[in-house]
Amino acid sequence: MPGVVQLFTHPQQARGRPGLVVPKRLLTGIADLIFPPRCCGCGRVDTLWCDRCQRSLERIPAPRHVQPLAPLSGMASTAVHEGLIQHSIWSLKYDNGRNMAGPLGRRLAAHLSHLGWPVDAVVPVPMHINRLLERGYNQAQLLAEQLAQQAALPCLPDALRRWRFTPSQVGLGREERLANVRDAFEADPAQTRDRTLVLVDDVYTTGATLSACAEALLLAGAAAVYGLTVSAARQ
Ligand SMILES: [Zn+2]
């Protein structure tokens, strides 16, 4: 029956007796009553991202300068990793916050338009398949897709592959992080050769991951690689 969801299956139903059916709209309504949508920024009920948080997000200034680590041709972040930005990224990563990709992706696009980098495609920092299966999505890819759409650039989610599983970077120093991710990435020359690319990630900490990604892309023939993240750890 179209538009109707079977709430549960009773053994008797298997023998052909009609079961309890509840219209899908009603189920969604009940779910919203028990678990009302809440704003990822302030927790306000009834919306996943409120206007007030959107206005606050737009007012957050960009850090003056983020040091690019070789071999990146340039590096920029749209904000310091604190407050509402930190909260939004946490939502994007852990709270099934796919709805945060739009507002954060628009920040990336607005920032990129001011940078004047001659990029011709967007590449997300890839996630290892194990972590992808665990989380269900790669937040860097969601951001890259939003940025690509806003900036009218192609998005190349398969240009780069993380083939070696790297332990979490949390708690590691800069040198340890570099050693941790070196050689963890592999790029596809067919997608990257002679292109000027912008690598996208959520947070810039030491730059070790972006630097390793850029190295792989350049090895595969990319003309130049820039790095852009939503936020950067205070340096
Ligand atoms: Zn809010």
Side-chain angles (χ1 to χ4, degrees):
M1 201 186 296
V4 166
V5 166
Q6 203 103 345
L7 192 62
F8 59 78
T9 306
H10 189 273
Q12 282 177 329
Q13 282 174 243
R15 293 199 292 273
R17 285 179 58 171
L20 173 61
V21 286
V22 179
K24 196 172 189 171
R25 221 173 32 196
L26 180 61
L27 272 188
T28 311
I30 293 168
D32 279 354
L33 275 179
I34 305 169
F35 306 108
R38 281 176 180 274
C39 171
C40 294
C42 63
R44 182 180 305 195
V45 174
D46 278 346
T47 175
L48 288 164
W49 184 241
C50 77
D51 290 345
R52 202 168 63 176
C53 285
Q54 178 57 30
R55 284 195 298 275
S56 306
L57 190 74
E58 284 164 9
R59 281 197 298 265
I60 297 171
R64 288 244 296 277
H65 180 68
V66 184
Q67 186 61 40
L69 204 64
L72 287 165
S73 295
M75 178 66 222
S77 298
T78 79
V80 171
H81 192 63
E82 61 188 16
L84 184 63
I85 279 280
Q86 186 175 6
H87 205 110
S88 311
I89 290 174
W90 189 91
S91 273
L92 176 75
K93 282 169 86 160
Y94 303 111
D95 198 17
N96 196 21
R98 288 177 174 86
N99 50 303
M100 280 316 303
L104 296 177
R106 283 194 288 279
R107 260 191 89 87
L108 291 174
H111 207 72
L112 183 66
S113 73
H114 290 121
L115 289 165
W117 292 343
V119 296
D120 43 40
V122 183
V123 178
V125 167
M127 189 180 261
H128 189 271
I129 186 74
N130 291 3
R131 197 155 291 157
L132 191 62
L133 290 173
E134 191 184 309
R135 188 169 298 169
Y137 59 97
N138 172 6
Q139 75 276 3
Q141 185 173 337
L142 298 185
L143 293 170
E145 282 164 358
Q146 291 290 332
L147 167 62
Q149 199 182 336
Q150 298 280 326
L153 290 168
C155 183
L156 309 173
D158 305 316
L160 202 54
R161 193 166 68 94
R162 189 188 284 250
W163 64 272
R164 186 161 64 74
F165 188 76
T166 47
S168 169
Q169 302 269 72
V170 176
L172 298 182
R174 186 185 171 112
E175 289 305 316
E176 289 169 305
R177 281 175 183 243
L178 278 170
N180 194 22
V181 293
R182 193 164 285 144
D183 305 327
F185 301 94
E186 191 177 60
D188 173 14
Q191 295 185 60
T192 52
R193 188 171 295 130
D194 299 329
R195 289 183 117 161
T196 298
L197 305 166
V198 59
L199 261 170
V200 171
D201 206 358
D202 48 0
V203 189
Y204 180 90
T205 310
T206 60
T209 301
L210 284 170
S211 171
C213 287
E215 212 168 283
L217 291 166
L218 291 165
L219 263 173
V225 183
Y226 294 83
L228 180 61
T229 62
V230 174
S231 72
R234 198 176 276 286
Q235 296 181 344

